Every structure is written in structure tokens, then in C-alpha cells.
Amino acid sequence: QVRLVESGGGLVQPGGSLTLSCARSGIIFGIQDMGWYRQAPGKERELVAAITTGGNTNYADNVKGRFTISRDNAKNTVYLQMNSLKPEDTAVYYCRVLQLRSNREYWGQGTQVTVSS
């Protein structure tokens, strides 16, 4: 069975940096897009960043210039490097994989990121 496991979350001071990783176990055939979403208490889940197999990326406006998404297809892993963190970045961050051939989504359980002094 396919499973996504996020790691790297934690407590960081404003202006600090944190790197999240999401490792996929199990087999997903074909081409997959990968991305990071986040959800703060009382708010809807929102897209943070996404990356295609070919390396094309897109970011939410409020993280552009601060966050970088990357992937290592050989390791079935997607990363999110977060710099210049702000308190408003505090949320649970979720990894998502989309299998294009089936439009099937896979989600991780989330990792907590807290930005506070």
C-alpha cells in the first residue's frame, strides 16, 4: 500500500529555517505530481508549493521567495525548504502525491510547524 510520511517539522523562531521531507513507500505507476499543503487552526487547507515530475514548480503568493520545493525521484521523496519563517506560517503541513494517470491523490498524516519566539 502507498504511504506518505512527512518529517522535519518542529518549533522554530521567526526568521529561522526548516526543511520538511516527505517519503513515499509503495508503488505508484506512471507520472506523479507532488506538493505541500498546510492547514492552520480554523482555516482551510491551502496549497503551499507543488512540483511536477519534470521539475516545474508553483508557489502560493505568501511563500514565494522564501520556500523552495524540490524532489528526488530516485528516492521517492519531496522536500520543502522554508526560510525566513513567519508566525503566520504556523500550520500542519501535508504532503500530497497525485498520480496523473488516474487522478488519484495520496496524502500524508501531516507534520506540525510552529513559528514562535
Side-chain angles (χ1 to χ4, degrees):
Q1 296 292 321
V2 173
R3 188 167 71 108
L4 304 179
V5 179
E6 302 100 333
S7 62
L11 175 64
V12 64
Q13 294 183 339
S17 298
L18 207 60
T19 300
L20 307 181
S21 64
C22 171
R24 170 178 62 83
S25 63
I27 298 174
I28 304 178
F29 291 100
I31 299 173
Q32 308 101 49
D33 290 343
M34 306 185 76
W36 289 94
Y37 292 72
R38 68 186 182 186
Q39 187 168 20
K43 297 184 178 181
E44 296 182 353
R45 186 174 299 185
E46 64 177 356
L47 172 69
V48 177
I51 185 168
T52 68
T53 299
N56 293 323
T57 60
N58 68 288
Y59 298 89
D61 288 340
N62 54 7
V63 306
K64 287 182 179 178
R66 299 188 297 119
F67 291 8
T68 302
I69 188 171
S70 62
R71 64 190 293 170
D72 186 334
N73 291 329
K75 296 181 178 180
N76 298 319
T77 302
V78 62
Y79 305 91
L80 184 67
Q81 181 180 338
M82 303 182 292
N83 299 321
S84 302
L85 284 162
K86 304 175 180 179
E88 50 263 44
D89 294 318
T90 296
V92 177
Y93 285 70
Y94 298 90
C95 176
R96 187 194 78 144
V97 174
L98 172 65
Q99 183 186 30
L100 298 184
R101 60 184 275 181
S102 66
N103 288 323
R104 182 173 181 178
E105 292 181 312
Y106 301 87
W107 290 89
Q109 295 299 309
T111 183
Q112 177 70 47
V113 173
T114 302
V115 184
S116 177
S117 60

